[in-house]
Amino acid sequence: MATCRLTMAQALLGFLKNQCVERDGREQRFFEGAWGIFGHGIIAGFGQALQQNPDFPYYLCRNEQAAVHIATAFAKAHKRLSAFVCLSSIGRSADALPAR
C-alpha cells in the first residue's frame, strides 16, 4: 500500500469535499465552496490546497461577519442540505498593512 503524503490543508479540503448528505435517496455534496479573507494565517496552507482543487470554489469577501451571513443564508435557502465553509485570517492581511 502506497503512502499518500498531504499537508493538513490538503487533508482538510479533501475531507470537506467528501462530505455528503442524503435526502429521499439522493446523495449530494454538502460543502459547495468557501468564503473567506486571505491573510497570513490562511494563504500559505489552505490557499495552496484551494488552488490545487479548482472544483471547490473560493469566494473572496472583505469582512468575516459578512461571509458568515452569506453562508448562513445559503444554507437556509438550500434547506441545510448545502453549506459553505468560512475561512478567516489569524490577523490583518499583508495587503491591509500600511506602507513603510
Side-chain angles (χ1 to χ4, degrees), residues 24-63:
D24 299 330
R26 182 174 171 258
E27 188 175 279
Q28 68 184 48
R29 182 196 262 187
F30 183 61
F31 292 108
E32 296 292 329
W35 282 90
I37 298 174
F38 273 107
H40 67 276
I42 295 177
I43 193 71
F46 213 76
Q48 180 185 10
L50 285 168
Q51 192 175 37
Q52 293 168 341
N53 291 276
D55 61 328
F56 195 83
Y58 171 77
Y59 302 98
L60 177 67
C61 66
R62 299 290 180 200
N63 179 286

Side-chain angles (χ1 to χ4, degrees), residues 35 59-78 83-84 86:
W35 282 90
Y59 302 98
L60 177 67
C61 66
R62 299 290 180 200
N63 179 286
E64 287 98 344
Q65 293 88 353
V68 173
H69 290 303
I70 293 166
T72 301
F74 180 87
K76 286 181 179 182
H78 288 86
F84 273 92
C86 290

Side-chain angles (χ1 to χ4, degrees), residues 79-95:
K79 299 182 176 150
R80 293 179 174 79
L81 293 174
S82 294
F84 273 92
V85 174
C86 290
L87 305 170
S88 178
S89 172
I90 291 173
R92 292 174 32 171
S93 170
D95 298 340

